[in-house]
Structure formats: structure tokens, C-alpha cells
Amino acid sequence: LDGCGRVGGNLANPDLILHNGRIFPWADGRVRAEAVAVWNGRVTDIGSDRDILRLRARSVETVDLRQRVVIPGLSDSHIHLLGYGMLLRTLNLNGKGSIQEVQRAVARVARTRYPNSWVVGRGWDQEKLKERRFLDRNDLTQFGSHAVFLKRICGHVGVANRLALSFAGIGKDTPDPDGGEIVRDPATGEPTGLLKEKALELAESSIPRSEEEPRAALVDAARRLLRLGLPSLHCIIEDPQELRVLHSLKDQEKIPQSIYAILPLNLLDSAVSMGLATERGNGGFRVGGVKVYLDGSLGARTAALSEPYSDDPSSVGMLRMDAGQMDEVAEKASRSGFQLCIHAIGDRAVETAVMAVEKMEKSRVAKGLRHRIEHSSLTPLRLLARMRKCGIVASVQPRFIYSDNWAEQRLGSRRVHHLYPFRSMLRAGLFLAAGSDCPIEDPDPFEGVWSAVVRPGLASDERLTVGEALAAYTTGSAYASFSETEQGTLEPGKRADMAVLNADPFSCDPDALRKIRVVRTILGGKTVYH
């Protein structure tokens, strides 16, 4: 196919034709067409206006693109859909510049709540507070009549006030959970209110939540994501309620996107007993992989490093499970036919994940499961060949590059070179699947494309081209979810999922990439946002 060629031609009477456009069937930008024909939700032909418009019948819907750009529908390979929906409905602390600003925001919500009820928020970041420190319960003493629980933007650290700690049963004698920490006052041993990693679950499990609340939140979040050209989502599921509600909403056609549901580890046994495994192929709702948390975040200094943090030599972060436990989980999941989606940000965690998958590959248990490392943030180049050899997919979040403006301070000038090494990953032959990790980051894929292409604040030698970055949001994500025969490109026979853009990402200035907007989203041949 070239600018005047044609692919397809099996069906003479499409029900939708888009023409007079700049259509890129593959998001790498190397091939361009003028028109595309669709029948029954599938691409049938793609080529020149002259060839495709010949297929037009009386009943066909035609869309004049007016020279706008069309790319395959984008996919977010790592999104917390319920977390995003809840953030839209609860207290958003993102961008607060001081503890006093946080307190004012909490006070506004607390005034609308009954005594002894919860005030829940997310988004504070000590790096953006003028005090440059973590919050603790002393910052929340004025809210004694409400249980306040505020998660850091990364979701790996949170702060609870005295009433919230009481409701959660967290006191001086409460032991740290495996893979978590209840931060304590060194003088008294009393909890400071700061909870890390699995200790967060003690507070979160105490917060009451009706089923109607997540239903409304999930629908709201999915609708907003359609505006961003996202007809496919790899959803990180938090608990059984979310899984049940999301599946129900999909059955009721309240959520249009195809959903690849990545289950929490605590549902693995139940899923195995029900005979479930990672599902391949079509859209709709599919059970995907199993999420395993190996460490935390660089922002919270809970990512597991092999050497101490440069700005805190007393800490190397924390592994939420040791290598032996990781091996057991990998064995159980692989034997049951589940893809592993291993959260690993620090280099110690990434290497632990690689070793576990290598053992499965040697025993041939993991063959064809396309195990993933989610984030793979600090990845030494020496690990890349090993990742390629055992078929690991790097599920990355390019927008982290922009947000981690403190990266060199955390890691030092030597290690920061191995942070988000996307160019080296491609050179080593890895599949890159790109996502946002929303609500931690902005879900707009073009924020991610811009970050991967420009790499603000980091060395330029690991930059991607626009085509390579967009491929990670299309073909890469499709491969990571076993759906490359269904989506990721606009080849005949594949689902007619498309994003129509207001500007050409292949010819615009790199800094203008983050300003690109989706003006129409087409899912299965139907316009779901315009």
C-alpha cells in the first residue's frame, strides 16, 4: 500500500466510508492512505479516495475527513479505571503546593460530611509541597470528627488521621503487614499516620463503599477516556467488587471500550478454581493477567533499588515479596495459564521479576504467556537481552519521564541514565506497550507520546520517534493483551477502531505533540465521541 494503493476489496458494499483524509493504517507513520471502508465493525478496504468511493452504495454513511489525520484506536496498557473514576468524584489533591492548601481542601469536604464519616482523597506529592516532607497525622488533627485518609499521587503511600487509624484498628501494637510499613514515632512507637505499600490496605479495607458508587465512577471514567481516542483499556482491578461491577457494566453496554482485566493477586486462587486463565483474541471483556506488586514508587522512595537512594542513603526502598515468594507466585500463575503483570520500578525489583520469569521459561511453564513487567522504570541495560530471551513485554508509562523531574536527585547521574530506557528496549527487541497509570498520570496518550519523544529532563539518547511511541500505544498494547489479530492496526479484517486527530503528529513540532486533540473516536465502526 502506498498513497494511491489499496488493500482489501472483499466486500463491495461497506456501511461506512471515511475519505479525504490522511490515514495511517499502522501508527508508525510509514504508510498513508486517503480513505477507509468499514462493514459490520471491521475494516474491509483501505486506499485512495477514487478506489474506496467506488464502493459507495445508497445506504453507506460517508465521513469527509477534510484532510484530518486518522490513526488506529489507541490503547492504555495500564490504567486504574476505578481509581480514575473515584478521583473525579472525590478529593483531588494533585497540584497542591503546601500542607495548608491540603488542609483547606480537606476542610471544604469535611464541612459537607456527617461526623464519623470518611474524607478520602488522593494526589498530594511531597515534592510539590513547600514543606518538602511527607504528611503525617499531626497535619490532620483539626479534623478529629472525621476519618481522613489521603493517598500520595503514586498510590504507594498514604496518610491517615487518628480517627481513621482507629477505624482501621491500627495502633502501637499493630504489626507491620508483610510487604508494608506502618511508620512509627521513634520515641513513642505510636503510628505517625503514614502508611506504606501493603499497610495501605489496612485503612482502605475499612472505608465503606456501596456498589452504586463504583458503577457511576467507572462509567464516568470510561466516557472521559473516549474523548482521548482510547477504545481499548488494560484495567488494573483492585478488588472483587470492581471486577464484578466492571463486568456487569460491560454486559449492559454501559462501557463501550474493550476491557482486558488484570486481576489482583488475591483473586488468583478463586480464578483458578473457576477454571479461568488469560483469554486471547476478541474485544469485549476478557480476563487478562494477574498483577503482582514487587515494590513501590521512586517518588515515595519505596521502589526497591540495588544501591541506596542518592538523596536518602539510609534507604534502598522495599520489596513487597522476596525472590522465593515471587518464584512461587510465578509458578502458580504460569501453570494455571495466567500472564504475569509484575509491578517493578526499582532495578532490584526488575531483576527479581526477570529471574522469576527466566525460571518459568527454563521449565517451559511460561511458554507463550507473554509475561509483562509493569513500569520497568530503572532497568539496567544488562537485563534487556535476558528480558528479550524469555519474552517479557515492557509495559511502560512514558508520562513518568515528565513527572519525575527529581529523578537525578533520587538516583544520581550514573543510574539516571538507565531510567526509562525505551530506545534501548526496542533495540534489544522487546515489545513496548504504553499506558498512563492513570490516575497517577494524565491519561491523554499524547502526553505520553510527547514525553517519550522529547524526554524532558532526561538524556536524549533514549528518545523514541513519533511512530515508535504511537506503536507502543497500538500494536505494542495489542500484542501485550493477545489481541494483535483484532486491533492495533487498520488492516482489513481487523476491528474498525480509529482516532481522528486535529493535527498531524508526524509533521508537527515535537513540543506540539502534547497539544494534539482527538476530534472523533470510532469504536467498531461506530462514532462514540465527536
Side-chain angles (χ1 to χ4, degrees):
L1 176 69
D2 57 24
C4 298
R6 177 181 170 196
V7 167
N10 294 327
L11 295 166
N13 296 307
D15 49 34
L16 172 67
I17 289 176
L18 285 80
H19 65 98
N20 188 27
R22 288 174 286 166
I23 300 170
F24 295 92
W26 293 269
D28 59 17
R30 289 179 294 179
V31 174
R32 195 175 95 182
E34 295 173 331
V36 58
V38 176
W39 181 80
N40 198 27
R42 301 269 170 177
V43 174
T44 60
D45 291 88
I46 189 161
S48 69
D49 284 339
R50 183 186 64 185
D51 285 339
I52 301 303
L53 287 173
R54 281 177 182 170
L55 306 174
R56 181 168 45 187
R58 244 181 243 179
S59 59
V60 72
E61 176 190 359
T62 59
V63 175
D64 184 348
L65 294 168
R66 300 179 182 179
Q67 283 298 295
R68 284 190 159 143
V69 167
V70 177
I71 60 173
L74 300 163
S75 177
D76 192 314
S77 70
H78 186 114
I79 188 166
H80 300 262
L81 189 62
L82 181 58
Y84 180 41
M86 293 300 292
L87 187 67
L88 295 171
R89 305 167 66 82
T90 57
L91 179 57
N92 186 350
L93 300 172
N94 193 9
K96 300 301 180 191
S98 68
I99 291 173
Q100 188 176 56
E101 284 185 28
V102 172
Q103 291 168 334
R104 286 176 187 156
V106 174
R108 283 194 293 270
V109 175
R111 284 195 292 268
T112 69
R113 303 286 170 86
Y114 293 111
N116 292 322
S117 62
W118 285 80
V119 175
V120 178
R122 180 171 180 163
W124 62 270
D125 182 351
Q126 81 281 1
E127 299 295 339
K128 295 179 180 177
L129 301 177
K130 71 177 184 181
E131 295 84 357
R132 304 280 291 183
R133 66 170 176 83
F134 287 130
L135 299 172
D136 61 40
R137 74 179 192 190
N138 293 328
D139 299 314
L140 306 173
T141 53
Q142 68 198 81
F143 310 109
S145 61
H146 294 82
V148 180
F149 179 61
L150 310 174
K151 291 174 80 169
R152 188 184 180 279
I153 188 169
C154 65
H156 290 268
V157 169
V159 63
N161 72 348
R162 190 179 295 274
L163 187 58
L165 291 171
S166 175
F167 284 170
I170 299 173
K172 184 176 181 179
D173 298 323
T174 306
D176 288 345
D178 287 341
E181 180 187 359
I182 301 168
V183 179
R184 305 171 197 274
D185 185 315
T188 66
E190 292 287 344
T192 67
L194 195 66
L195 306 173
K196 295 183 177 183
E197 300 303 331
K198 292 192 79 172
L200 291 172
E201 297 172 9
L202 301 176
E204 289 178 309
S205 62
S206 304
I207 302 171
R209 191 172 77 188
S210 69
E211 195 159 293
E212 282 309 306
E213 193 172 21
R215 284 180 66 86
L218 286 165
V219 169
D220 189 17
R223 283 177 181 162
R224 287 175 179 254
L225 294 171
L226 288 175
R227 303 175 193 174
L228 303 177
L230 287 164
S232 175
L233 306 172
H234 301 190
C235 293
I236 310 298
I237 304 297
E238 302 298 333
D239 55 40
Q241 183 191 58
E242 180 185 356
L243 180 64
R244 183 175 65 252
V245 172
L246 184 58
H247 196 182
S248 170
L249 289 169
K250 186 62 187 166
D251 282 347
Q252 296 165 22
E253 300 183 349
K254 298 275 181 74
I255 290 181
Q257 287 99 332
S258 64
I259 302 294
Y260 187 71
I262 297 173
L263 309 182
L265 181 58
N266 60 14
L267 287 185
L268 176 58
D269 288 339
S270 298
V272 171
S273 68
M274 294 169 63
L276 299 177
T278 295
E279 298 178 81
R280 294 159 166 77
N282 209 345
F285 183 98
R286 289 183 294 139
V287 172
V290 174
K291 178 75 180 287
V292 180
Y293 283 96
L294 254 185
D295 68 347
S297 74
L298 288 170
R301 296 190 188 88
T302 54
L305 305 183
S306 57
E307 300 174 27
Y309 282 87
S310 296
D311 57 358
D312 183 4
S314 68
S315 175
V316 291
M318 57 195 303
L319 283 174
R320 292 177 62 155
M321 60 176 69
D322 61 30
Q325 292 170 316
M326 182 67 244
D327 290 347
E328 288 179 19
V329 168
E331 170 81 14
K332 180 188 289 187
S334 297
R335 286 200 179 279
S336 303
F338 274 101
Q339 176 192 58
L340 286 164
C341 301
I342 307 170
H343 171 114
I345 285 183
D347 59 337
R348 183 159 54 112
V350 173
E351 185 154 23
T352 301
V354 171
M355 289 191 297
V357 176
E358 283 175 332
K359 289 176 183 176
M360 294 305 97
E361 283 293 318
K362 282 179 182 175
S363 63
R364 301 189 68 79
V365 171
K367 189 170 179 57
L369 288 174
R370 300 181 187 175
H371 291 317
R372 302 164 39 156
I373 296 183
E374 307 297 315
H375 313 306
S376 200
S377 300
L378 185 61
T379 303
L381 302 187
R382 60 182 173 78
L383 292 180
L384 297 181
R386 292 166 61 185
M387 292 170 68
R388 172 67 181 90
K389 187 176 180 181
C390 54
I392 290 174
V393 175
S395 173
V396 300
Q397 293 68 47
R399 184 54 158 67
F400 284 1
I401 296 170
Y402 173 65
S403 297
D404 293 0
N405 51 37
W406 33 256
E408 188 163 347
Q409 180 184 348
R410 281 279 192 284
L411 299 171
S413 58
R414 175 178 54 84
R415 284 185 296 185
V416 79
H417 185 72
H418 303 306
L419 189 64
Y420 311 122
F422 301 158
R423 161 69 50 203
S424 294
M425 287 174 168
L426 286 182
R427 194 179 295 124
L430 296 184
F431 277 93
L432 287 188
S436 64
D437 205 9
C438 177
I440 294 171
E441 295 291 348
D442 188 323
D444 185 349
F446 282 96
E447 280 286 323
V449 171
W450 168 76
S451 292
V453 171
V454 175
R455 284 182 70 86
L458 292 181
S460 62
D461 55 346
E462 291 288 352
R463 287 175 177 168
L464 297 183
T465 66
V466 172
E468 289 165 342
L470 282 171
Y473 284 96
T474 52
T475 51
S477 289
Y479 179 84
S481 58
F482 302 93
S483 57
E484 68 270 23
T485 61
E486 290 286 318
Q487 54 193 179
T489 67
L490 297 178
E491 297 171 86
K494 290 192 177 182
R495 285 166 51 89
D497 294 348
M498 296 175 249
V500 183
L501 311 179
N502 70 346
D504 186 344
F506 302 107
S507 62
C508 72
D509 184 86
D511 284 326
L513 286 167
R514 65 191 312 201
K515 299 176 184 176
I516 290 177
R517 295 292 174 263
V518 172
V519 295
R520 184 190 293 259
T521 302
I522 296 171
L523 199 166
K526 294 186 180 349
T527 294
V528 290
Y529 166 70
H530 182 208

